[in-house]
mmCIF file of all heavy atoms in Angstrom:
data_model
loop_
_atom_site.group_PDB
_atom_site.id
_atom_site.type_symbol
_atom_site.label_atom_id
_atom_site.label_comp_id
_atom_site.label_asym_id
_atom_site.label_seq_id
_atom_site.Cartn_x
_atom_site.Cartn_y
_atom_site.Cartn_z
ATOM 1 N N ALA A 508 98.312 90.170 88.386
ATOM 2 C CA ALA A 508 98.204 90.451 89.786
ATOM 3 C C ALA A 508 99.260 89.720 90.516
ATOM 4 O O ALA A 508 99.987 90.221 91.362
ATOM 5 C CB ALA A 508 96.851 90.085 90.347
ATOM 6 N N ILE A 509 99.613 88.476 90.126
ATOM 7 C CA ILE A 509 100.549 87.611 90.711
ATOM 8 C C ILE A 509 101.935 88.271 90.549
ATOM 9 O O ILE A 509 102.804 88.413 91.475
ATOM 10 C CB ILE A 509 100.600 86.140 90.340
ATOM 11 C CG1 ILE A 509 99.170 85.474 90.741
ATOM 12 C CG2 ILE A 509 101.716 85.381 90.800
ATOM 13 C CD1 ILE A 509 98.979 84.137 90.176
ATOM 14 N N GLY A 510 102.131 88.708 89.285
ATOM 15 C CA GLY A 510 103.407 89.354 88.969
ATOM 16 C C GLY A 510 103.677 90.560 89.878
ATOM 17 O O GLY A 510 104.699 90.959 90.297
ATOM 18 N N THR A 511 102.635 91.333 90.148
ATOM 19 C CA THR A 511 102.702 92.555 90.950
ATOM 20 C C THR A 511 102.810 92.205 92.466
ATOM 21 O O THR A 511 103.666 92.853 93.168
ATOM 22 C CB THR A 511 101.364 93.423 90.800
ATOM 23 O OG1 THR A 511 101.260 93.588 89.470
ATOM 24 C CG2 THR A 511 101.512 94.768 91.549
ATOM 25 N N LEU A 512 102.104 91.222 92.937
ATOM 26 C CA LEU A 512 102.216 90.737 94.363
ATOM 27 C C LEU A 512 103.626 90.336 94.686
ATOM 28 O O LEU A 512 104.038 90.467 95.857
ATOM 29 C CB LEU A 512 101.231 89.641 94.636
ATOM 30 C CG LEU A 512 101.135 89.244 96.110
ATOM 31 C CD1 LEU A 512 100.411 90.319 96.988
ATOM 32 C CD2 LEU A 512 100.316 87.924 96.171
ATOM 33 N N LYS A 513 104.377 89.783 93.534
ATOM 34 C CA LYS A 513 105.643 89.185 93.853
ATOM 35 C C LYS A 513 106.695 90.165 94.444
ATOM 36 O O LYS A 513 107.624 89.747 95.102
ATOM 37 C CB LYS A 513 106.130 88.658 92.530
ATOM 38 C CG LYS A 513 107.365 87.879 92.391
ATOM 39 C CD LYS A 513 107.502 87.298 91.031
ATOM 40 C CE LYS A 513 108.871 86.662 90.889
ATOM 41 N NZ LYS A 513 109.927 87.763 90.525
ATOM 42 N N GLY A 514 106.545 91.401 94.183
ATOM 43 C CA GLY A 514 107.570 92.411 94.623
ATOM 44 C C GLY A 514 107.682 92.496 96.074
ATOM 45 O O GLY A 514 106.847 92.378 96.928
ATOM 46 N N PRO A 515 109.007 92.836 96.575
ATOM 47 C CA PRO A 515 109.330 92.887 97.932
ATOM 48 C C PRO A 515 108.524 94.090 98.672
ATOM 49 O O PRO A 515 108.455 94.070 99.902
ATOM 50 C CB PRO A 515 110.784 93.102 98.119
ATOM 51 C CG PRO A 515 111.217 93.433 96.780
ATOM 52 C CD PRO A 515 110.248 92.912 95.721
ATOM 53 N N LEU A 516 108.016 95.000 97.934
ATOM 54 C CA LEU A 516 107.299 96.107 98.631
ATOM 55 C C LEU A 516 105.850 95.713 98.782
ATOM 56 O O LEU A 516 105.076 96.481 99.376
ATOM 57 C CB LEU A 516 107.446 97.413 97.820
ATOM 58 C CG LEU A 516 108.796 98.035 97.734
ATOM 59 C CD1 LEU A 516 108.755 99.486 97.118
ATOM 60 C CD2 LEU A 516 109.578 98.112 99.039
ATOM 61 N N HIS A 517 105.496 94.568 98.280
ATOM 62 C CA HIS A 517 104.086 94.209 98.357
ATOM 63 C C HIS A 517 104.047 92.736 98.969
ATOM 64 O O HIS A 517 104.518 92.567 100.022
ATOM 65 C CB HIS A 517 103.435 94.303 96.966
ATOM 66 C CG HIS A 517 101.915 94.090 96.897
ATOM 67 N ND1 HIS A 517 101.126 94.007 98.014
ATOM 68 C CD2 HIS A 517 101.043 93.956 95.807
ATOM 69 C CE1 HIS A 517 99.907 93.878 97.555
ATOM 70 N NE2 HIS A 517 99.797 93.808 96.269
ATOM 71 N N GLY A 518 103.611 91.680 98.240
ATOM 72 C CA GLY A 518 103.446 90.423 98.772
ATOM 73 C C GLY A 518 104.790 89.696 98.989
ATOM 74 O O GLY A 518 104.799 88.631 99.634
ATOM 75 N N GLY A 519 105.900 90.272 98.442
ATOM 76 C CA GLY A 519 107.093 89.642 98.673
ATOM 77 C C GLY A 519 107.753 89.897 100.017
ATOM 78 O O GLY A 519 108.894 89.468 100.416
ATOM 79 N N ALA A 520 107.065 90.849 100.773
ATOM 80 C CA ALA A 520 107.689 91.309 102.031
ATOM 81 C C ALA A 520 107.676 90.329 103.098
ATOM 82 O O ALA A 520 108.633 90.198 103.939
ATOM 83 C CB ALA A 520 106.909 92.623 102.510
ATOM 84 N N ASN A 521 106.681 89.380 103.091
ATOM 85 C CA ASN A 521 106.669 88.422 104.238
ATOM 86 C C ASN A 521 107.855 87.381 104.195
ATOM 87 O O ASN A 521 108.455 87.059 105.251
ATOM 88 C CB ASN A 521 105.361 87.602 104.150
ATOM 89 C CG ASN A 521 105.109 87.012 102.782
ATOM 90 O OD1 ASN A 521 105.860 86.953 101.944
ATOM 91 N ND2 ASN A 521 103.718 86.639 102.606
#
Side-chain angles (χ1 to χ4, degrees):
I509 294 173
T511 306
L512 186 71
K513 182 170 172 286
L516 296 189
H517 190 8
N521 51 15

